[in-house]
Every structure is written in C-alpha cells, then in structure tokens.
Amino acid sequence: MRITLCGAAGEVTGSCYLVETESSRISVDFGLFQGRSHAPEQNAKPLPIAEADLDAIVLTHAHLDHAGRVPLAVQRGFRGPVHATAATHELLEILLADSAHIQEMDAKHRSKRLVQGGGKPVRPLYTHADVEATLPLRVSHRFGEDVEVTDDITARFHRAGHILGSASVELVVREGGATRSVVFSGDIGPKGIPLLRDAEPPESADLVFLESTYGSREHRNLDETIEEFEEILTRTYREKRKVLVPSFAVGRTQQLFYHLAEAFRHHVVPRFPVFLDSPLAIRATEIYRNNTHLFDDEARALFAAGQFREQLSNLRLCPTADDSRALNDVEGPCMIIAGAGMCNGGRIVHHLRHNLPDPNTTVLLVGFQAAGTRGARLATGKDTVRIFGDDIPVAAEVVTLGGFSAHAGRSGLVNWYGALAASNPRLVLTHGEQDSRRALAHRLKNRFGVEAELPGIYDVVEL
Ligand SMILES: [Zn+2]
C-alpha cells in the first residue's frame, strides 16, 4: 500500500492522506490549508489522482483543516461515501456551510478588487451548492464499529478527546495475503479535557501517523489556568468590567461554558450576564447539548442534574446582527463570547473596535493566536490595532490564558504513542511545524527507541 501526504506535512493545516492499495483508493481527511499566503493555491491543487476516482473519504473530525476540502472533491466529481462518527457529521454540516459562505464572500471581495484593476474575477473554491451536494454522501458510525470502506479496507474510529465526535482512524488493510493496520491519530486532546472523554488510542499498529502540533512544548497546567480564569471573573464582577472573548465556535466555546458553569456553581463569583454572539457557536453548542452521551461521566452527571442550565441561566444568545449591535450599549459586568478566535474576522472585530479604547474592557485570549493576526498583535501588547482602516488605540487590558487547549501537549502525545509502542510500529510524524516535529521525534526516540520519519508534502510512505 502507498500513502501520500497531501497536506499537514511540516505544518498544521491541510490534513489529507491518500491511501492506495491494489484495488482501492481512499482519502483519510481532506482538510483546508489555512492562514498562510500560499494557502489558496495549495487548496486548489488537485490530488495526485483524480478526486472522482476516490472510493471513499474517511474523516477524523469536523475541523475545517481536516474536513474543509470535501466539497471541493465533490465539485471535482467525487461521489463516494464520506465516513465519520455521527457527531462529526452533525458538526460538519454547520462548519462546511460557514466555510462556503466565507469562500463566496472572499471571492466576491477579491473579484471586485481585481476587476477594478482591469483583471478577471475569481471563482470561490466551492459554494453552498457544493456543500449541499456533499451532505447526502455522509455515512455515520459509532466509535469501535467495524466499517467496510472497500473490499480490502476496514476502518474503526477510536476516541481522540479533541472535539465532539473526534476520532483516531484505524485502517485494517488486507493485501497480498497479509493484514496490516495503519493508525491516523487525527488531533489528540489533552488528558482531562472538560466535557469529553479522554482519548482511547488503539493498542497496536504496523504504521502510525501521529500529529505533533505541540510536540515541542507542554501547556500551562489546567488547574492553574482555571484559577487565573476565576480571578478574572472575580475582578470582572467587582470592577464591573466588560470581558471580550474571541473564541473558536466548535470546542473552545463549549469548554469555556463548562468552566463558567463550574465557577458559578462553586460560588466563585455571582452570576453576571454572558452573551454568545456567534450564530455558528450557538448551533455548535446545540449539537454538543444533543450529544451528551459522548460526554465524560462528570459532565454527563452535571448535565443530567440540570446544572449547566441552572448555572448558565444568565447566558443570552445573540443570533442576529441586531442582537450583536445591541451589545454596544450593555454595561459591565458582562462577558461577550464571539468569533473569530484569532480576531481576523467575525463579530468580535466590531466589539474590539467599540471597546478597545476603554480601560474598563478586558480582552481574554483563550486560544492559539497565529503570527500576523490581530489576536497576536493584541497578545504581544501593541498600542494600536488596525480595524476597518482605522488604528484603534488599545487601552483595554489583554490577558492570555494558555491552558485551555484542545490539543495534547508534548507529554500527552508521548503517552498516546506509549499505548501503541509495544507493537513496535513504524512511526510518521505529521501535523506540526518542523521544530515541533523534530522535538517530538527526539523525545520519542529517547523514550521508546523509535526512529520517527518526517516526510514532506507529496512524499509517499510505502508499506
Ligand atoms: Zn482539530
């Protein structure tokens, strides 16, 4: 069998593995490249084989950097099944619709500029119509179920503890009289992640593709982070502050609700108004609420006892643009959670523009801020940020909380591999910047004596 890395090789986006056997061709993940300037070209580049010739796509989870190019495959003629867990498919529907909207808007704005300059308009990478054509191809599965993907490939989903429905994918391939297993870790969550059950890696494999996002570092301790979070809540209440939280719609927002509910339940601070100003996050939260069977025991018990409903009775949803605008007049103490997570778009930008000059505002950064984003500018303490053509002075306090990650830190990745190490698999590190991959490879070699491979994009791993 041949496995070609068509993304996430030495970077953290564009996850896509083309798996070819004697008689079948499938893709594990089909994610968008994001963030870098050459991402549009990378996204438009076809696979080494025609997408129409793929027998199936298997997804680890719904995040766009793992699943965001599936509508493009459909646009190019793919008509096979898209296998994933049921919760992944539910989240996929809202994330792909949002992505199509962004692609369409983006193309419209770029075309306008190009046409003004005498050039030709550009087409969006894909549209709502492509997403509509994708959704009926979804085939949902439970964790642990054997999925006959093709005549010679069976897939199994193992919990990855990263976001709702997230999985590591194990492929069992029967070829030339031999049976071999290949494991794709997907994104692995940290041990003790709120709401979700921890990752349950498979016990053996012949070949493992392991993510290395945080291969070079550990996260801030979760207990310390919760303490810091609670201090911010206390001060918000006491000083009647307005807290703005740029947050990712799927995963991070729901984790934040968990910590908020726990703080209110333990009377750390009296309940004050919390606004969720993101249609996407509102829908994602609904999907989390409809899938409490995937929660860990503690969260399930709290949910069954009505604790989240009671403790978050102060939560107000803001689905419309008018709801969002009305928040300009809201006084502290309050918290406004809005996307996008790195402040590069979405409703948070309007709140920043309105509130950054006010020293009674706190901007709470709870997620990764990539270099070059407004979020990174805020995190590094710049005096101004540019919003809609104006330089907005930053008088607000900016706080970064480092410990609310949905990704395992270095030791989490090492422990995940440790569950498989006895079977002595061949190991390939992907989905991490080059420094992270190298650091993790070094650590795994010291611990298990394994020599990890660090292939580049379009390199082929043969087994
Ligand atoms: Zn992810």
Side-chain angles (χ1 to χ4, degrees), residues 61 63 65-66 162 187 407:
H61 65 292
H63 274 152
D65 60 323
H66 290 258
H162 168 61
D187 288 353
H407 279 274

Side-chain angles (χ1 to χ4, degrees), residues 314-387:
N314 50 338
L315 175 65
R316 306 274 180 275
L317 305 181
C318 305
T320 70
D322 281 342
D323 296 333
S324 183
R325 266 191 296 275
L327 297 180
N328 287 345
D329 303 323
V330 170
E331 307 263 318
C334 71
M335 178 180 283
I336 299 172
I337 302 168
M342 298 187 201
C343 310
N344 261 17
R347 293 182 181 179
I348 194 70
V349 180
H350 296 271
H351 296 304
L352 291 172
R353 182 186 164 90
H354 192 79
N355 294 293
L356 278 180
D358 182 353
N360 206 41
T361 298
T362 301
V363 179
L364 182 58
L365 301 172
V366 292
F368 181 73
Q369 305 297 325
T373 60
R374 273 195 202 103
R377 229 185 128 72
L378 285 168
T380 48
K382 296 284 187 290
D383 292 336
T384 62
V385 286
R386 201 159 181 83
I387 298 177

Side-chain angles (χ1 to χ4, degrees), residues 164 195-197 288 291-297 299-300 303:
L164 196 77
L195 295 176
L196 301 178
R197 283 194 237 171
Y288 266 70
N291 283 282
T292 52
H293 63 283
L294 296 175
F295 287 6
D296 59 19
D297 292 346
R300 247 196 342 258
F303 197 87

